[in-house]
Amino acid sequence: MKTISVALQSHLASECSTLAYLIKITRADGVIRAFTNHDQALVISGVTYKADGAFNPSALVSDSNLAPDNLAVTGMVNGADIAESDLDAGRYDHARIDIYVCNWADLSQGTLQLRRGWIGEVALQGAQYTAELRGLHDLLQREFGDYYTAECRHDLGDSGCTVTLAPLTASGTVTTSIDAANFTDTARVEDNGWFDYGKLQWTSGANDGLAVEVKQWDAGVGQFTLWLPMPHPITPGDAYTVIAGCDKRFSTCKSKFVNGVNFGGFPQMPGVDKMLQYPDGQ
């Protein structure tokens, strides 16, 4: 339910209004970025909404058929507020967005919340970004429920898997940087493939705080190959933590993690090819 003060409601009903849009972006790491389309910065509830021309909302569209809300926010990339490196690093992925309207001539009237949602797709073109807002209606488009697959449907360490991750987590530092997706740590002693499909998180360096999945661990040369290149250079001495990987196969679950009883896959279940087979008369 939306709430509005009597004074702001009266102002919205008047023939002449002095309204401004406010947008507050709250990232998963707690960092807040706030903007307004007013020509001066506005301070509301302790949050400063900057008026630097870097924010421009599209028209708000809502349908009675419960279709997803349609809103895009366009702005300029700059190092002080919305940095390109943060966008590339995914720090704005699934960030919460709150959009309000206020009377800039009398902030004591409070605000009216127009939308609440999360950032979806972010597109970069030159020095400009366009962020898609996915509202609460988007939750109605998602499919919920369990599913059956040949491979395990659980993620390593979740409530369905129940494996404790602490004994499977290791720390290290980069010995040699090969490129943005490859580096070595010659101090590692784990078996070949131990970290394949595992999660690596940087704890220092230019990529501090970022996480990525491991594609391959080559124990012979002590080399990590990541599924995706890092947005910032990997340099010798960068610290990281890495969790052993799981390929979601029963043999791995049973032998590597001794957790076959909680395996969430169904490798014996007939596939689509069996369902579509015709009788051969024999």
Side-chain angles (χ1 to χ4, degrees):
M1 176 183 294
K2 295 182 179 180
T3 58
I4 183 174
S5 68
V6 175
L8 183 56
Q9 185 175 12
S10 176
H11 180 71
L12 291 173
S14 63
E15 295 183 0
C16 183
S17 61
T18 52
L19 300 177
Y21 282 104
L22 309 170
I23 180 169
K24 182 172 70 172
I25 304 174
T26 306
R27 301 185 336 198
D29 58 5
V31 174
I32 294 177
R33 297 285 185 260
F35 305 96
T36 177
N37 63 347
H38 188 48
D39 58 2
Q40 295 182 17
L42 302 174
V43 180
I44 300 175
S45 300
V47 177
T48 300
Y49 294 83
K50 295 186 178 181
D52 57 1
F55 154 63
N56 181 34
S58 68
L60 292 170
V61 178
S62 292
D63 295 324
S64 59
N65 60 1
L66 296 181
D69 298 341
N70 176 23
L71 176 67
V73 176
T74 302
M76 302 302 295
V77 175
N78 61 74
D81 297 308
I82 305 294
E84 183 175 358
S85 59
D86 288 337
L87 292 171
D88 290 339
R91 291 192 172 96
Y92 286 91
D93 291 353
H94 310 297
R96 173 172 166 167
I97 290 186
D98 294 279
I99 298 178
Y100 309 90
V101 66
C102 72
N103 178 6
W104 58 263
D106 186 359
L107 298 180
S108 66
Q109 294 181 0
T111 61
L112 170 63
Q113 185 161 15
L114 301 178
R115 287 291 186 275
R116 185 184 73 183
W118 297 267
I119 289 182
E121 181 179 355
V122 180
L124 282 173
Q125 184 174 7
Q128 179 175 286
Y129 70 89
T130 301
E132 172 194 28
L133 171 64
R134 295 179 179 173
L136 297 179
H137 286 175
D138 181 65
L139 298 176
L140 300 177
Q141 310 301 314
R142 302 183 184 181
E143 296 182 2
F144 292 89
D146 217 339
Y147 55 92
Y148 297 90
T149 60
E151 296 180 342
C152 185
R153 65 188 186 275
H154 304 312
D155 291 326
L156 185 66
D158 68 11
S159 58
C161 171
T162 73
V163 167
T164 303
L165 295 181
L168 302 172
T169 304
S171 302
T173 57
V174 175
T175 303
T176 305
S177 174
I178 301 173
D179 55 35
N182 292 271
F183 68 91
T184 66
D185 181 356
T186 56
R188 300 247 63 91
V189 297
E190 288 82 2
D191 294 337
N192 195 56
W194 180 259
F195 297 114
D196 291 3
Y197 307 102
K199 179 181 178 182
L200 183 144
Q201 182 165 3
W202 298 101
T203 56
S204 73
N207 296 297
D208 185 18
L210 302 184
V212 65
E213 291 185 346
V214 177
K215 182 178 182 180
Q216 183 179 22
W217 160 245
D218 186 347
V221 293
Q223 180 176 331
F224 283 98
T225 299
L226 309 178
W227 277 105
L228 295 173
M230 301 308 302
H232 306 295
I234 300 173
T235 58
D238 288 354
Y240 66 87
T241 60
V242 61
I243 301 173
C246 178
D247 61 7
K248 297 182 180 292
R249 301 177 185 273
F250 179 72
S251 57
T252 303
C253 184
K254 181 180 179 181
S255 60
K256 185 175 182 177
F257 303 108
V258 195
N259 193 43
V261 67
N262 291 314
F263 181 70
F266 299 85
Q268 287 80 31
M269 183 177 64
V272 177
D273 56 334
K274 293 292 184 181
M275 297 171 56
L276 297 179
Q277 280 184 351
Y278 286 91
D280 58 6
Q282 298 181 1

